[in-house]
Amino acid sequence: MSLQGKRVLVTGGARGIGLATAKLFEAEGADVAIWALHPESIEEVRPQFRRPIVGQALDIGDFDAVRQAYRTLREELGPVDILVNNAGYTLTTRFLEEDPAYWERVVSTNLWGVVYTTQTVLPDMLEAGSGSIINVVSDAGRVGMQGEAMYAASKGGVMAFSKSIAQEFAKRGVRVNCVSPGPTRTRILEENSEHGDAGKLIERMVRRIPMRRIAEPEEVAQTIVFFASDASSHITGQVLSVSGGLTMV
């Protein structure tokens, strides 16, 4: 699955699935850029890469910030060949205890961030006549998840958006697919696990996994790189779960 010389942008690339993905792309020969919310998180991970990376701190829920960051990225790296929309946000909470500010942050990051980044990067892919967009969604968006109502809604929206974009631009050489992790060993999962009700919900979810374990970030990264490579050259508009059999749809 060599990706020698490809230019890759990974949002949420400073930790968890995003970091594992960025490192695997680099190992496959790609030139990597990562976007993250906090500049210090980018600086913390730079030593984990063998070659220099382009790292930018921004809120992907801000359309103007996305467009400005991409203009800067193009100047430093060039137009992006592969876009991985990985950045996400959620808390495991009960719906009736949530407030509109929380809902807005979830939707802004998980749905609008994907829309803004895709519309910004897509013209370069169309001009090149090729490109791959991989959106990291969630099995919560496929089948629902207790304690994750707004997260599930936002990720379900990304799946519908991805299929629509895949249909619209397939004939112009751009492929769009979704990787749908189940519970994965990330900082967000660990932080949520420390809170009473959330921890119990997560424990219950893990017990339902046929393989009886959560995924490692590297296992999800392998699937993302597959969708970016020529190994999946005739695949678009698909959602692939990496969940140990938690969902089989």
Side-chain angles (χ1 to χ4, degrees):
M1 295 195 296
S2 174
L3 294 160
Q4 191 71 38
K6 295 291 186 181
R7 294 178 290 268
V8 181
L9 169 59
V10 181
T11 71
R15 66 181 190 178
I17 292 170
L19 178 58
T21 299
K23 291 165 67 174
L24 184 55
F25 272 118
E26 185 199 42
E28 293 294 333
D31 296 317
V32 175
I34 63 173
W35 285 359
L37 186 59
H38 303 293
E40 59 271 20
S41 63
I42 296 172
E43 297 311 312
E44 287 174 5
V45 302
R46 283 190 190 275
Q48 299 184 38
F49 292 87
R50 294 185 298 244
R51 302 194 309 274
I53 62 167
V54 176
Q56 297 167 284
L58 69 149
D59 177 1
I60 62 168
D62 181 336
F63 193 24
D64 290 337
V66 167
R67 293 174 74 85
Q68 179 57 53
Y70 188 62
R71 283 193 291 267
T72 302
L73 188 157
R74 286 181 93 257
E75 292 172 0
E76 296 187 38
L77 188 67
V80 164
D81 304 298
I82 299 162
L83 169 62
V84 181
N85 281 309
N86 166 74
Y89 174 74
T90 187
L91 298 174
T92 302
T93 54
R94 298 187 184 279
F95 178 69
L96 291 179
E97 298 171 0
E98 298 167 356
D99 58 43
Y102 169 71
W103 299 338
E104 289 170 8
R105 183 177 176 188
V106 170
V107 175
S108 175
T109 301
N110 298 342
L111 177 57
W112 285 117
V114 172
V115 173
Y116 295 158
T117 307
T118 299
Q119 195 195 57
T120 299
V121 172
L122 188 56
D124 278 339
M125 294 183 176
L126 297 177
E127 184 174 343
S130 65
S132 181
I133 299 172
I134 303 96
N135 295 325
V136 180
V137 289
S138 169
D139 277 1
R142 304 189 82 173
V143 298
M145 192 81 61
Q146 184 177 346
E148 300 278 5
M150 288 306 296
Y151 180 69
S154 64
K155 292 297 188 177
V158 172
M159 291 183 209
F161 171 76
S162 301
K163 290 175 180 291
S164 300
I165 296 299
Q167 289 185 31
E168 187 170 348
F169 296 106
K171 61 182 175 295
R172 300 183 64 181
V174 176
R175 297 185 298 111
V176 186
N177 291 289
C178 294
V179 173
S180 183
T184 304
R185 197 181 307 281
T186 63
R187 189 180 304 177
I188 290 176
L189 185 78
E190 291 171 354
E191 289 171 353
N192 283 336
S193 297
E194 295 171 0
H195 296 85
D197 283 350
K200 292 177 182 177
L201 290 172
I202 292 169
E203 288 176 7
R204 192 179 309 153
M205 187 176 8
V206 172
R207 286 197 297 270
R208 291 171 49 211
I209 300 173
M211 294 182 73
R212 292 295 189 272
R213 66 175 180 86
I214 63 176
E216 299 298 329
E218 292 76 13
E219 293 177 300
V220 182
Q222 291 278 1
T223 308
I224 293 170
V225 171
F226 164 73
F227 274 134
S229 75
D230 287 343
S232 62
S233 59
H234 201 55
I235 301 174
T236 195
Q238 303 304 306
V239 181
L240 179 58
S241 288
V242 184
S243 63
L246 178 62
T247 55
M248 300 183 183
V249 296

